[in-house]
Amino acid sequence: MAEDFDIESLVHLEQTFFETGFEDGFAHGKIHGLIEGRALGRAKGFEMWEELGFYEGFALMWKAIYEKQGRGDDRATNHTKRLLDLIVQFPKSNPSETDDMDFPKLFRQIRSRYKALCSTLGVRPSLRYADRSQERDGAADSAVAEPVEALPKETVWKLEKGLRKTGHAFDF
């Protein structure tokens, strides 16, 4: 019986349990990470395309307005065309790992062109950044929808109530 018992295995017992637990946890985390990654990717992809769709609809609307008015050589028309060109460049499927597509750079260019178009049109831009949370969106929408109460203004001269002077007798 003494021959079956290996004392060396007792020395490394803690390391053996650690390695076994690590391997099990790693396999479990890999499965759940894949599931969570897909869900997060789907949500962020939806937000990105919602923002791009807003920009495209905005640009197409102003393009149609300017075409109907016959203003084809206008600065706003140029911004509209360039914005639509940038939106068309955005990939509609997942690029392979070998593609050198810089999504944040393209998004910054699209947002910048949108801001330039809004500035040219004299319209206040409605930036719908994908990194904003739903709570901040709700707060921003409610702040726009409901009028803000006016803050009490400080007066320059002190007004005394109850003293009502009539006439034009000024005392200097």
Side-chain angles (χ1 to χ4, degrees):
M1 176 141 189
E3 295 171 11
D4 294 338
F5 185 71
D6 186 18
I7 248 178
E8 186 68 29
S9 64
L10 283 177
V11 173
H12 301 294
L13 185 65
E14 186 176 337
Q15 184 65 27
T16 306
F17 283 135
F18 175 79
E19 289 173 359
T20 304
F22 179 81
E23 290 170 4
D24 289 346
F26 188 82
H28 185 74
K30 192 174 182 181
I31 291 169
H32 285 282
L34 184 65
I35 293 168
E36 286 182 30
R38 285 184 181 157
L40 180 64
R42 187 178 306 115
K44 291 299 173 184
F46 180 79
E47 289 176 9
M48 288 170 52
W49 279 102
E50 181 181 26
E51 184 177 354
L52 283 176
F54 173 79
Y55 295 150
E56 185 176 18
F58 183 84
L60 289 172
M61 181 193 71
W62 280 103
K63 180 182 176 184
I65 289 171
Y66 272 55
E67 284 177 356
K68 191 166 191 166
Q69 292 177 351
R71 297 166 61 182
D73 296 337
D74 201 73
R75 178 183 280 177
T77 305
N78 183 30
H79 285 304
T80 303
K81 288 178 185 175
R82 290 184 186 230
L83 176 60
L84 291 171
D85 290 341
L86 286 172
I87 291 171
V88 168
Q89 290 178 15
F90 207 84
K92 292 177 179 51
S93 62
N94 286 336
S96 65
E97 292 180 14
T98 58
D99 290 345
D100 293 332
M101 188 64 176
D102 190 5
F103 289 106
K105 180 181 177 185
L106 185 57
F107 243 104
R108 280 192 308 272
Q109 289 175 339
I110 290 171
R111 286 182 182 130
S112 296
R113 186 58 64 176
Y114 168 72
K115 289 179 197 175
L117 176 61
C118 287
S119 176
T120 304
L121 295 171
V123 176
R124 191 173 129 225
S126 173
L127 298 176
R128 299 168 181 233
Y129 291 116
D131 60 345
R132 288 177 24 168
S133 68
Q134 294 293 332
E135 295 173 7
R136 288 180 17 198
D137 283 344
D141 290 342
S142 65
V144 172
E146 299 173 6
V148 179
E149 293 182 23
L151 297 174
K153 295 182 181 179
E154 292 185 30
T155 58
V156 178
W157 295 281
K158 184 178 179 183
L159 299 176
E160 295 179 13
K161 293 185 180 182
L163 297 176
R164 189 171 191 187
K165 296 184 178 182
T166 58
H168 298 289
F170 294 112
D171 188 19
F172 287 82

